[in-house]
Amino acid sequence: MSEGSGGRPPAFGQVVIGPPGSGKTTYCHAMREFLARVGRRVSVVNLDPANEALPCPCELDIAQLVTLPDVMGSLGLGPNGGLLYCMEYLETNVDWLQERLEGLKGHYVLFDCPGQVELYTHHSSLKNVFAHLAKWNFRLAAVHLVDSHYCTDPGKFISVLCTSLSTMLHVELPHVNVLSKMDLIEQYGKLAFNLDYYTEVLDLSYLVDHLASDPFFRNYRRLNEKLVEVIEDYSLVSFVPLNVQDKESMRQVMQAVDKANGYSFGDQEHRSLEALMSAAVGADFHFSSTLAVQEKYVQSQDKAVEEEVMDL
């Protein structure tokens, strides 16, 4: 594989994005431990100036450059405006980031990003930082985390699909959408459809029909139909289910990301033919993983029904 500009060898990594509370920091540190077990040298870079309580040390922290409390205090900005200013400040001082990343040569890098949705749908600063990383020969994939509890609410799930599509189009990186906290999904309520309906984003007309049964959403059927048409016309959005406590689930996400950023076909690891083939047919593994999660979910639902029957 050829070296990039300035003679820097290719570096691989993930930019971990998503709404607040979707589990980005938890994912970064769980993925760090998982990748370290398979022999990769992994570093975590915190790009969230509001992330003050990091569960584990990071090799590089944006707090060394700027923090949200300092910006809010000195400029009189609120949390949202302050966070946008921090990202613009990072973009202006991108040389600071480049200099410190030089110390992480040979590392697989996980970039833990802020949770403000606007940064990934229409604001340009973080997108431009990603573009700089690409110029420095980083081969990145965007890992977009979405809390799985949105699957239990059809209206919210349509909103998540629109946000995911907008993020994919704006960020302009190879993209992997992830439904996080799958181990908690049974606590959120019963799904209207099988889990693969949500992960593969199948015929969304059923979702519109399901919404129409609600008197509130019935008045907005035409709007929902048009939103669904936009999502289906692009045909880009699908999800990988994730439970960070399940090694098999982590492996599925790792394979999806490795395919997206090209790591599977690089020379950083000596891989067997079997490993390469598993990456080439990742969709089959993704399907198997979804079936496994669906089976656990169905079993938990069946158990709940049995307990209700026993109580009667």
Side-chain angles (χ1 to χ4, degrees), residues 3 23 52 69-70 83 95 98 129 171 180 207 256 263 276 294:
E3 295 188 356
E52 297 178 326
D70 288 344
L83 192 53
D95 291 344
Q98 183 180 19
V129 171
V171 172
S180 63
L207 206 61
Y263 185 90
L276 286 173
Q294 174 68 22

Side-chain angles (χ1 to χ4, degrees), residues 64-129:
Q64 300 166 1
L65 175 70
V66 63
T67 66
L68 181 60
D70 288 344
V71 169
M72 292 172 60
S74 60
L75 299 180
L77 296 173
N80 291 338
L83 192 53
L84 293 179
Y85 178 90
C86 288
M87 293 300 100
E88 292 170 357
Y89 190 79
L90 174 63
E91 180 188 3
T92 303
N93 296 276
V94 74
D95 291 344
W96 173 89
L97 181 62
Q98 183 180 19
E99 291 173 3
R100 281 150 183 80
L101 287 175
E102 286 296 320
L104 301 179
K105 283 185 177 180
H107 289 231
Y108 187 99
V109 184
L110 301 170
F111 294 91
D112 187 1
C113 298
Q116 194 167 357
V117 175
E118 301 97 295
L119 293 171
Y120 314 115
T121 56
H122 58 274
H123 195 264
S124 61
S125 290
L126 204 52
K127 171 186 174 181
N128 293 338
V129 171

